[in-house]
Amino acid sequence: MNQQLFCSGLEVASFIVSSGLLKLSWDKILDCYVGFHQNESRNSGFSLRWKFYAEANVNIIVFITSPICTKSHLQDSKEWIPPTANKESCRVFEFLCNDGNSFCIHKAAISLFDDHFDELLQLKTQCGRSAKPLIVTGHSLGGSVASLFTLWVLESLDISSAKRPLCLTFGSPLLGDKGFQQAISQHPAWNSCFLHVAATSKDSIPRLFIAPSHYLNSSIEAPKYDHYKPFGTFLLCGENGCACSENPEAVSELESVIIRKGVSQLGKPMLSSLQAGTILQLEAIRTRKEQQKRNELDNLIKKLEETCMRNKRKVFDPAKKLNEIKIKMAFLEWYKKCAKAIETGCYDFYKNRVARSDHDIIRHKKFLTNNWEKIVAQAEKKPQKQLVHLRSRWLYSGTTCRRMTEPLDIADYYRNGGSNYVENGRPHHYIKLEQWLEEDEKQSGVSVDSKKKQSVDVILTYDSCFWAHVEEARLCCKSMEVADIEFEQRESLRRKLKEFEAYVMEQIKKSALSSEIFLKGSSFMQWWKEYEKIMEPDYSSPLTNFMKNSKFQQYGSGCLTLD
């Protein structure tokens, strides 16, 4: 059954208005304006004023500017902010340039921020000392500075912190372009911290950077200053009431068409709750002017809201998948024990595909792979200045899953005739999970595997690419069996095999290999039989001694001594 879609813009708007936060913030803005008539300015052309209010249950920071911002001030105020920008304030926002993302913000706001950087740094430090909730608010261009300041505070918070500031802006211009919008929206917890209030018939500044509809629906290139995009939630206040939307495309269209032209939809048949909701929103914020193209706008806003709500349902939330991930990993653990019981090992049990349970494991592996691809992709897109890309529990869970599932991917890869998995076939999410684990261990100085030392009978092999190295060693042995192989090629293969020997012996000394690799049906033991046939009779090495003297049977028992 298809679920009914509802447009809750009016209900959310009513809740926000009745909460008292808007009145509280606006009263502080008016108080901050008292006596502020300075026209002196710095490089930005504006004078910035802020004030810290310590209320009983909340701290409030207000930002305002003098003179009041006008269209002429902002018309061409645009500046790209690359990671190599010279301004100190630009470097502060480098964390938004993650994964090669670039963006632009209007020059007036960033210039004001840069002019007062040292003082704002002190203000930010002051905020960090208080345990009370924080509201950052501002009017007009002061609201843009408030948004930048809020982002700065958010970036310094721990990724799991629930103590996030709320930013309320009144009549502020849009701050950045699509790249800026995407950088913030990739972090839903941050995007939800912003509420922008605009009067649809009064405020000219908020809609200054909105591209008109005739640019959006044609091949004509819009002026550069029209490329700015909204982020956060918008409360649009009209003559008949208020409407709320967090859909950036709907906000842009509402601003560009509704605010400029005005639309009335009352009196039309309402075919669904979604359509009814959008119509009521349009009516709430309309101006007195009537337009003939109301059908087009109704359908457009309805479609945008419908798309937005359906996308929300599809948004990947790792926390909601945690239990499912644990269940799937438990199935893989059970599969591993079944493989060990028949002296084969999980890798070869899966590669040979002889059991009915293989079909279930394929499904479980696919589920885990899809989820970890999404988790890694989401972590890469989040604004991160530090090296902590995932919370510790997710990073360690990802490490365990990587060590469980990557060997199965390697089995599929070589079963289908692949070669050189590490260079040519390894999925991106495995590479990133391994890289982030190394960075985390380097920062903390503690190895994840040293935190809970276990018997090699139950551990997962630390190097999830181990079986790829085994397969490559087997291919080398196969190539050396060719009678007419050239001398140089034979020596190259022999060198690779010696490197593989050294690698395996290093893993054994670190107790980093699961004991299942020495099961009689494993590919590693198959490699050893193949290697014995081609090695010279008098050849000796630490690994050959280890294998020929059957020391591998003592591996993990605690009785093994390595010379």
Side-chain angles (χ1 to χ4, degrees), residues 252-266:
S252 296
E253 192 62 33
L254 285 168
E255 287 276 14
S256 64
V257 181
I258 303 172
I259 295 175
R260 297 178 188 209
K261 297 180 179 180
V263 176
S264 177
Q265 290 288 344
L266 290 183

Side-chain angles (χ1 to χ4, degrees), residues 93-147:
F93 297 104
E94 285 181 15
F95 63 90
L96 292 173
C97 296
N98 190 51
D99 198 26
N101 179 52
S102 62
F103 57 87
C104 66
I105 58 180
H106 62 74
K107 185 176 180 179
I110 197 65
S111 296
L112 268 177
F113 192 91
D114 187 67
D115 286 346
H116 300 277
F117 180 79
D118 292 335
E119 300 100 310
L120 293 178
L121 178 59
Q122 294 177 7
L123 182 63
K124 177 172 174 281
T125 303
Q126 181 182 356
C127 295
R129 297 194 189 107
S130 176
K132 291 191 292 186
L134 175 65
I135 294 177
V136 184
T137 188
H139 174 240
S140 191
L141 187 56
S144 297
V145 178
S147 293

Side-chain angles (χ1 to χ4, degrees), residues 10-21:
L10 291 178
E11 289 78 6
V12 175
S14 298
F15 172 77
I16 293 172
V17 172
S18 63
S19 68
L21 288 177

Side-chain angles (χ1 to χ4, degrees), residues 44-79:
S44 62
F46 293 90
S47 178
L48 179 68
R49 186 181 195 181
W50 64 88
K51 197 169 181 178
F52 186 94
Y53 295 87
E55 300 294 298
N57 300 316
V58 67
N59 292 327
I60 303 175
I61 299 176
V62 176
F63 290 94
I64 59 174
T65 61
S66 178
I68 298 295
C69 187
T70 65
K71 181 176 180 179
S72 61
H73 288 127
L74 300 178
Q75 192 74 32
D76 296 310
S77 296
K78 176 177 179 177
E79 182 171 285

